[in-house]
Amino acid sequence: PLRYAHDAGEYVSTEFVRYRWYPDVQFGTAYFHDHVDAIASWRHGLFGALISEPPGSTYHEPHTGAEIRSGLLADIHTAGRVSVDVSGSFREAAMFIQDDDPITHLGRSSGSSLDLRVEPPAARGGDPALYFSSTAHGDPATPLIEANLGDPVVVRLLVGGTNDVHTWHLDGHTFRVEPQSSLSPPIDTIHVGISERYDLSIARAGGTQRMPGDYLYYSGRSFKLAEGSWGIFRVHAPGDASQLRPLPGHERVPSPTDAVCPAGAPTREFAVSAIDAPLPMLSGSMGRVFVADSDKAATRSGARPPEPLVLHANLGDCVRLGLTNELPAAAVSVHADMLAFDPRDSAGIAAGFEPAQSVAPGATRTYTYYASPETGPTVALLRDWADVLRSPGLGLYGAIVIGPTGARYTDPQSGADIGARGAWAVDVHPASGPAYRDVALFLQDDDAGIGTHRMPYTKVIEGVVGLNYGLAPLPIDAADAPTVFRSAAASPRTPVIETDLGDPVRIHVLVPWSEQGHVFSIEGHRWPLEPGRAGTQLLSSQQIGGLEATTLVLEGGAGGTDGLAGDYVYGDRRAPYRQAGLWGILRARPPCDTDAPVLRPLAADRPSCAAGIDDRLQVAAGAAALIALSVVAMFARRRVLRRARP
């Protein structure tokens, strides 16, 4: 209550300040906050947002339909357009990401919340595979986002915290970084920093699979998820007793699809096991890995070094992944991003009211996914969710790379078909268009403290770091800095990307377990921000955070636009992480290099160098002869000039 009353129109005391803003464009979300005692007040939630909706919009409570002036969840009734994916009325959720919370923090993490709420999974108790189950524990305290099947949804995402770079992820659905560009590739995870915001347009609730059910949204950072930054996106089927008011233009809720894979879709089957294996990033201690059954014996014997599972399928394929659990005493599951799935049996997560989907030791379960043409070629991150707060940190992750329709995948050296094997490096031969080298790199970390404002500052990475389960730490003593990469590259324990000069190359960078924002870079190379879009920005470094996956299409291929052969350092531009070992070598080999493993040429008209050594020697001899003749001619000319001088 006010201490002193005042009349209407009266000049007011310092108890009142009126701010006026004019939304001259449909900018989406504007963040506002206290700036008198910000460092203290922000951690208590003294922030908010003004959302600029399409002109003529009205705002309604989703269950009653009553008009509202404010609220985290609202139905926006409009005839306007929000993005290339959303026109007309839509469901809306404002999502404030917070950090610097001393109440919720774990370890050296700064704490977190979503809309000032958390639901720590481990505090729910019991089986880790059921941490996210509403059947076992009820719905979480975080906001329940609801929509009817097929409804457009817009998430107004912003960071009201003060310390960290975050990532936000949504299962079973996609959105775009550039919502007004149809060429902006669909993604399901986005990184967002202090005071930054994104307006995420989801074309339809239920995803490309058009299936109702409970899907999770959550922080992509491992500590933030453990602190409780997650919630449920509930998609209602026709006839559900949700009592959501229908959106204008979406009064009829469509029927769900009968199966995630359409009739006639080609089927690609994989047999995969979860096993224990010693990992270099764990200093040889036992980790947990997914491995194709055809590689299981060699991995266990040590004949094949353990590497993250990377499978390959085509756009339009129905992917059936049979998982056998060979861990001695832990359940496992597989959750796939960016692929269509039925949340009732192939999400890998007992999310909300969905049933348990984990695999007990000694058992086998099949998960079914669809590589939807609506999503396009992509890379799908795989992770265990039976113990998501622990197992991915021990290596239980992988990927399915979705290539063009009709593509073939071969071993870069033997040329043999990859089939159902796993391989982080393959050659892709599309049905039309040029072939290309295709590699997958996985960055992993779990240092929650470095880079934060907490004193004392730390300069050396703590905890596990890994690049495809390996690492190549650099000496702390920088006396040999000019040659440090050359000496360390003699036998790096990280992937060496072997290519021929000029080869088209695509590099998938994935972050399956992370606390930090990383800056991935490749010396001497650039790639488009939006491949296929004229005038798009070319990047040489790109930020990527927890659960993000991005594909880099190298401009000019191996060797870059300058076309220079040689060894190029790739990896994390953040110096402490590079020093800790998150780097490797991209090798653009000169034509007919005999000092490296033989690579099959990508193009049929490209000559093989296997039998061309004599020809190269003849060319070299001819070049030497030309150089000798040039030298003789030069000296002869100099003698003639000297004789001609007076």
Side-chain angles (χ1 to χ4, degrees), residues 182-236:
S182 61
L183 293 178
S184 184
I187 58 174
D188 59 9
T189 308
I190 192 165
H191 63 258
V192 56
I194 301 166
S195 299
E196 194 174 14
R197 59 88 179 172
Y198 281 96
D199 298 293
L200 310 178
S201 291
I202 300 156
R204 78 180 65 81
T208 60
Q209 61 269 23
R210 294 170 170 78
M211 286 194 170
D214 282 355
Y215 302 85
L216 296 187
Y217 65 84
Y218 45 92
S219 173
R221 297 180 56 177
S222 49
F223 268 95
K224 305 303 183 188
L225 175 60
E227 288 166 350
S229 289
W230 67 278
I232 293 174
F233 177 33
R234 181 159 291 156
V235 180
H236 296 285

Side-chain angles (χ1 to χ4, degrees), residues 377 402-404 424 426 428 430 434 436-440 497 503-509 531 550-554:
I402 304 300
W424 69 272
V426 301
V428 182
Y436 56 89
R437 313 282 187 194
D438 190 280
V439 301
I497 304 172
D503 281 347
V505 179
R506 298 188 184 188
I507 299 177
H508 311 287
V509 185
T550 189
T551 298
L552 316 181
V553 182
L554 301 191

Side-chain angles (χ1 to χ4, degrees), residues 132-134 171 213-216 232 343 347 349-355 357:
F132 307 91
S133 170
S134 298
D171 284 339
D214 282 355
Y215 302 85
L216 296 187
I232 293 174
I349 310 173
F353 292 112
E354 305 305 337
Q357 298 170 36

